[in-house]
C-alpha cells in the first residue's frame, strides 16, 4: 500500500482538527483509498501545546528546515494563516518539491502566481480547497464537477460571521451591534471583526473562486467591496415586508462585457435557495451554460469541516498522479487582456427620509427619470411630524446612474438618502 | 495538445445534449483543460435523426464493432438506457480497452460488478456521474470532495418527476392525478409513470450513491421502496398545518447496526434545506463525521444538465492517469459481511378515521402504548356525522412496532388507518 507522510505547519484550531481526522481515519483511508497517511511532523511554535494535544514529542519539529529535509514528508499542510511565516514556509516546501495543501485564503489570493510558479518548477502539487467555504467542496466542484461549463455567474454566502449576524438581525430583530456581540461571544467573530464584517474575508475567497470559475486571475483589487456594518434594522424590516432577505453576497459574473466581481449586502427574494441559508452556514450558487443552476451548501468554517477539506486534498494528492500546480491556468499575458466591469448593473433598494409636503414625491421621481432609473415600487413606510420614510425598489440599472441620482437627491434639500442596497432582480 | 476521441452511443435527448456541449465548447476545453475533445463516432439506430441533428454522415457508425475498432475513439459514451443493447455495447467497449462514460443508472445499479471487473481487466476507465442527479456533481463529491469523512447519512430528493408532482400538490393544491397529468404534459413524466412514481428510479440511484458513500455494494434488493401514488391531498395539508413538507426522500444511513436504505414519501420540517427544493429540482444532503452537513442542489435531468455531467466525466478521464474502474472498492467477500438494517427507526405520521364516541381515543392510545410507541402530538382535524379524523405524530420508533400497531387498530373495528408516512424527526 502506498504510504504518504504529512507535515502540519501550525497547530491551532484547523491544524489540530486536521491531525485528529488523520489519526482517527487512518484505517478508513487504508481500506477505502488504498493509501496509508501518517503524520510525520508537526511544526508549532508552542511545542507544549502540540504535545498536550497528543502529538508524540519526536514528531514535533523545531524548524521548517527540519520539516522539509525529512524524506518521509511528502505533503506539507499549512495551517498558520496570514502571509508572514506561512508564505515563507510554503515557498520553502514547494522549492523542496513537497506538495502543499493550504487553508490560507489570503496567501492563495495574494500570491497565487508565485506559488504556482514554484510548484510548477519543482513539480510539486498545490491544493487549497480549505481556503474557501470550509468543508464545502466548491473548488473540487469548479475544477472537476462543472468544468464542462462556461460559468456565467456565481453568487455566494461565503462568510459565516456576517451571515450569523444578518440572520440574528432578520429573525431575532437584534441590532447590528447586539448581533455582533453575540457572534463574538460564540467565537464566530473576532475581537476586531473588521476582516469579516467589512467583507475582506469574502473578497479573498471571491477572488480565488472567480479566478477558477472564469479561468483567469481575478486580482483582489478588482473586487468591489462593501461590508455590513452600515446595515440597519430598518433596512432589514423593509426588505422583509417586500419579500426579501438581506445577505452579504459575493457575486462573480462573466459576460461579453468582462468579469464583474463584488461583495456587498444584497437583498434576495425569500424564495431563492440562498435566502434560507442561515446562521453560520455558507452556500455558493453557480450558473453554468449547460448544467444550469447548482448550489453547494455547508459549514464554511470550524476545525473539523475545514480539516475535512484539507484531508480531502491530501487524499486527492496522494491518489492522483497529475500535480495540480497550475489550477488558475493563467499567465501574465492572458491576465492583461482580461476585461473587468466597473459600472455594473443591478436592481436597487433606496431608503429616503423626505419632507412630508406636496411636490417632494414628484421632484424625486423626476430625478430618477432623468438618470434613466425606472422604479418598480415606491412605498411610504412611516411618517411622523413633518417627515416621511420612502422606500424605492428600482429595475435593473447602472450603479453609476444610482450614485448620480443619490448625490442629486441629497442636494435637493427636501430628502436625505438613508441607505442604498443592491437587490438580486 | 492531447487529443481525445469520443463515440456517442444513442442519439436521443442526452446523447444529443452531450454532442452539442462538446461541439460548442471545444475551444473552451482546449484553452482551459489543455485537451482537444473530438466526437469521432455516433452510433444511432435512426441514422437520419443523427444526421439531421448535425452529425457528419461519415461519423455515423453502423455497428458497435465499427465504433470500438476505430483507433481514434478513446472514450465511449453510452446514452442508450436500459440493460439490453446498452449492457452489450458497454461490455464490448470495455473489452476493447475503451474508457466508458455512462448515464445509465439501471445498468450501473444492476451490473456494477460485471462492469468493474471488465474495466479493471482491460485497464479501461468507468465513469457514471450522469447516472445520478443529472448535472449535480454528487458522485465527484462523494469520491473526491468528502472522501475524508465517514459518511453517516444521506438524504436525497433524487427524482424530479415525483418532486414536481408533490410540489404541485403542496403549493397548488392539485390532486395526485391532476399533478401527474400536468407532469406528463410538460414531459417530466412518461406515459407509463411507474418507474418514477413508484420509486424505482430513485432506488437505482440510491443503490449507486449509498454504495459509493458507504464503500460497499448496496444491492437494489436491499432498498426498501414505497412510491407516492398513494399520497393524498389530506396528508399533505395535515403536514403543512403541522409545519412539514412531504417529499419522496431517498435515505441511506450507516451505523454500527448496519446500512439502512429506503425510498419513501417522508415529511420534513419546513425549515430544513431539503424542504425548499421544489419543482423538478433535486438535492442531496450528506452528513459526514468531519464535514458535518453538506447539501448539493441542482437539475436532476434534462439534455444539457445530464450532458454537463457526461462531459465533466469525459474531461476528468482525459486529464487524469488513474483509471477509475474500481470506484465501489467492493468484492464479493466484503459484500457478504455487510449488514443491512431491516427494522429501521423513524418518527411517523398516522392518519385515522375513528368513530366519534367516548372510549375510542383511550383504546387507540393504549394500543400505541402497548407497542412502545410514544406520541408527540395527536390532533383531531375534522369530524362529521359520527366519524372524526385523527392525526398522530410519533416519536422515533421501530417500523415493525408501527406496523403491528396499525394492524391492531384496523382490528378494533372502531378506527381505520388511512395513511402511514415517515417523518424526519
Amino acid at each position: 500500500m502506498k504510504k504518504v507522510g504529512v507535515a502540519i505547519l501550525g497547530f491551532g484550531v484547523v491544524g489540530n482538527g486536521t491531525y485528529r481526522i488523520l489519526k482517527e481515519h487512518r484505517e478508513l483511508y487504508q481500506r477505502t483509498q488504498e493509501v496509508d497517511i501518517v503524520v510525520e511532523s508537526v511544526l508549532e511554535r508552542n511545542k507544549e501545546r502540540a504535545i498536550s494535544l497528543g502529538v508524540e514529542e519526536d514528531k514535533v519539529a523545531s524548524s521548517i528546515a527540519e520539516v522539509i529535509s525529512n524524506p518521509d514528508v511528502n505533503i506539507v499542510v499549512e495551517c498558520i494563516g496570514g502571509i508572514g511565516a506561512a508564505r515563507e514556509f510554503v515557498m520553502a516546501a514547494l522549492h523542496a518539491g513537497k506538495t502543499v495543501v493550504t487553508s490560507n485564503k489570503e496567501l492563495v489570493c495574494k500570491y497565487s502566481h508565485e506559488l504556482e510558479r514554484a510548484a510548477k518548477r519543482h513539480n510539486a502539487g498545490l491544493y487549497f480547497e480549505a481556503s474557501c467555504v470550509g468543508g464545502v467542496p466548491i473548488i473540487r466542484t469548479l475544477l472537476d464537477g462543472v468544468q464542462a461549463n462556461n460559468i456565467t455567474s456565481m453568487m455566494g454566502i461565503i462568510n459565516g460571521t456576517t451571515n450569523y449576524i444578518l440572520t440574528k438581525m432578520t429573525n431575532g430583530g437584534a441590532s447590528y451591534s447586539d448581533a455582533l456581540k453575540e457572534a463574538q461571544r460564540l467565537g464566530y467573530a473576532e475581537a476586531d471583526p473588521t476582516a469579516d464584517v467589512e467583507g475582506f474575508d469574502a473578497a479573498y475567497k471571491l477572488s480565488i473562486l472567480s479566478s477558477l470559475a472564469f479561468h483567469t486571475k481575478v486580482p483582489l483589487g478588482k473586487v468591489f467591496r462593501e461590508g455590513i456594518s452600515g446595515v440597519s434594522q430598518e433596512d432589514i424590516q423593509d426588505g422583509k415586508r417586500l419579500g426579501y432577505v438581506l445577505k452579504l453576497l459575493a457575486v462573480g459574473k462573466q459576460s461579453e462585457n468582462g468579469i464583474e466581481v463584488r461583495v456587498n449586502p444584497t437583498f434576495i427574494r425569500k424564495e431563492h435557495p440562498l435566502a434560507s441559508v442561515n446562521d453560520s452556514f455558507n452556500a455558493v450558487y453557480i450558473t453554468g451554460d449547460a448544467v444550469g443552476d447548482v448550489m453547494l451548501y455547508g459549514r464554511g468554517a470550524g476545525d473539523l469541516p475545514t480539516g475535512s477539506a484539507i484531508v480531502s486534498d491530501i487524499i486527492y494528492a496522494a491518489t492522483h498522479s497529475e500535480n495540480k500546480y497550475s489550477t488558475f491556468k493563467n499567465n501574465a499575458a492572458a491576465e492583461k487582456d482580461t476585461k473587468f466591469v466597473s459600472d455594473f448593473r443591478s436592481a436597487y433598494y433606496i431608503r429616503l427620509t423626505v419632507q412630508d409636503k406636496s411636490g417632494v414625491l414628484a421632484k424625486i421621481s423626476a430625478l430618477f427619470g432623468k438618470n434613466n432609473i425606472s422604479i418598480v415600487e415606491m412605498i411610504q413606510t412611516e411618517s411622523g411630524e413633518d417627515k416621511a420614510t420612502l422606500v424605492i425598489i428600482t429595475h435593473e440599472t447602472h450603479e453609476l446612474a444610482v450614485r448620480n441620482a443619490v448625490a442629486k437627491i441629497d442636494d435637493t434639500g427636501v430628502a436625505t438618502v438613508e441607505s442604498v442596497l443592491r437587490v438580486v432582480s
Side-chain angles (χ1 to χ4, degrees), chain A:
Chain A
M1 188 176 303
K2 186 177 180 181
K3 202 180 157 184
V4 173
V6 168
I8 299 175
L9 313 184
F11 215 69
V13 170
V14 172
N16 183 32
T18 302
Y19 180 79
R20 280 163 50 209
I21 294 171
L22 286 171
K23 282 277 175 184
E24 283 163 26
H25 293 70
R26 184 171 170 187
E27 187 278 327
L28 177 73
Y29 305 149
Q30 289 174 347
R31 182 165 55 82
T32 62
Q33 307 294 332
E34 288 156 24
V35 63
D36 186 24
I37 305 174
V38 182
V39 179
E40 296 287 357
S41 182
V42 167
L43 184 63
E44 161 63 39
R45 224 171 358 189
N46 183 347
K47 281 194 178 194
E48 299 313 311
R49 178 182 154 79
I51 292 164
S52 75
L53 289 167
V55 183
E56 299 96 314
E57 203 166 341
D58 65 328
K59 299 279 188 199
V60 184
S62 297
S63 69
I64 185 67
E66 192 186 329
V67 173
I68 61 176
S69 64
N70 184 341
D72 293 335
V73 170
N74 311 103
I75 297 177
V76 173
V77 176
E78 184 270 308
C79 306
I80 300 168
I83 50 172
R87 179 181 171 200
E88 185 195 324
F89 294 178
V90 161
M91 287 303 287
L94 291 172
H95 280 129
K98 311 285 186 190
T99 282
V100 166
V101 173
T102 176
S103 58
N104 193 327
K105 51 194 166 279
E106 188 177 357
L107 182 66
V108 175
C109 169
K110 292 184 179 167
Y111 295 98
S112 63
H113 277 100
E114 177 181 311
L115 302 179
E116 290 193 348
R117 214 180 306 123
K120 189 167 187 174
R121 186 173 309 148
H122 300 281
N123 196 29
L126 177 60
Y127 297 85
F128 44 89
E129 177 67 79
S131 69
C132 295
V133 205
V136 179
I138 176 67
I139 289 181
R140 180 67 48 226
T141 295
L142 287 171
L143 294 178
D144 287 337
V146 296
Q147 82 280 36
N149 292 261
N150 190 11
I151 305 292
T152 52
S153 126
M154 198 161 59
M155 292 196 292
I157 295 170
I158 57 179
N159 177 274
T161 310
T162 48
N163 203 44
Y164 178 84
I165 293 172
L166 291 175
T167 302
K168 287 297 138 195
M169 291 177 73
T170 304
N171 298 343
S175 70
Y176 171 75
S177 65
D178 284 349
L180 171 60
K181 267 180 220 137
E182 180 68 7
Q184 284 169 325
R185 199 183 62 78
L186 292 168
Y188 291 156
E190 298 187 47
D192 175 359
T194 312
D196 290 316
V197 300
E198 297 303 345
F200 291 98
D201 174 88
Y204 291 144
K205 295 172 188 164
L206 179 61
S207 156
I208 296 171
L209 294 176
S210 53
S211 295
L212 295 171
F214 305 142
H215 305 288
T216 189
K217 177 74 185 179
V218 176
L220 187 62
K222 296 292 181 186
V223 180
F224 173 89
R225 182 189 49 72
E226 190 178 302
I228 64 162
S229 57
V231 166
S232 74
Q233 192 47 243
E234 279 141 291
D235 297 328
I236 287 179
Q237 294 311 325
D238 285 348
K240 226 176 177 173
R241 218 169 301 142
L242 296 165
Y244 292 99
V245 178
L246 192 71
K247 296 290 182 189
L248 182 64
L249 228 55
V251 177
K253 288 186 187 169
Q254 182 179 231
S255 71
E256 286 161 10
N257 303 324
I259 291 171
E260 167 189 333
V261 270
R262 52 190 168 94
V263 172
N264 40 40
T266 306
F267 280 117
I268 43 179
R269 293 285 325 163
K270 68 175 196 301
E271 298 80 15
H272 193 286
L274 284 171
S276 20
V277 176
N278 285 325
D279 299 319
S280 67
F281 275 95
N282 281 201
V284 182
Y285 195 91
I286 303 166
T287 307
D289 63 349
V291 74
D293 298 332
V294 169
M295 185 174 84
L296 276 78
Y297 164 98
R299 292 245 169 245
D303 54 350
L304 297 181
T306 307
S308 167
I310 288 175
V311 177
S312 291
D313 270 354
I314 293 173
I315 295 171
Y316 192 94
T319 56
H320 291 78
S321 309
E322 287 81 8
N323 284 320
K324 290 288 178 184
Y325 46 73
S326 185
T327 2
F328 287 137
K329 304 231 163 49
N330 61 330
N331 57 52
E335 192 176 317
K336 264 191 206 140
D337 292 341
T338 307
K339 280 194 298 177
F340 289 92
V341 175
S342 51
D343 181 22
F344 58 77
R345 290 172 63 83
S346 174
Y348 290 82
Y349 156 99
I350 300 163
R351 181 160 56 86
L352 308 171
T353 303
V354 299
Q355 287 182 19
D356 200 1
K357 62 182 188 191
S358 67
V360 171
L361 266 182
K363 214 171 201 169
I364 290 169
S365 305
L367 236 159
F368 277 96
K370 220 182 269 173
N371 285 281
N372 286 316
I373 301 168
S374 69
I375 291 171
V376 179
E377 299 188 73
M378 194 195 274
I379 305 144
Q380 187 162 321
T381 60
E382 266 175 84
S383 61
E385 296 172 29
D386 53 348
K387 306 258 180 193
T389 298
L390 210 64
V391 168
I392 295 166
I393 304 278
T394 75
H395 279 289
E396 201 176 285
T397 181
H398 283 281
E399 170 98 357
L400 279 185
V402 171
R403 289 199 202 161
N404 276 339
V406 159
K408 294 269 165 55
I409 286 169
D410 278 334
D411 291 347
T412 60
V414 294
T416 317
V417 178
E418 305 290 347
S419 24
V420 178
L421 293 164
R422 283 139 209 99
V423 177
V424 173
S425 55

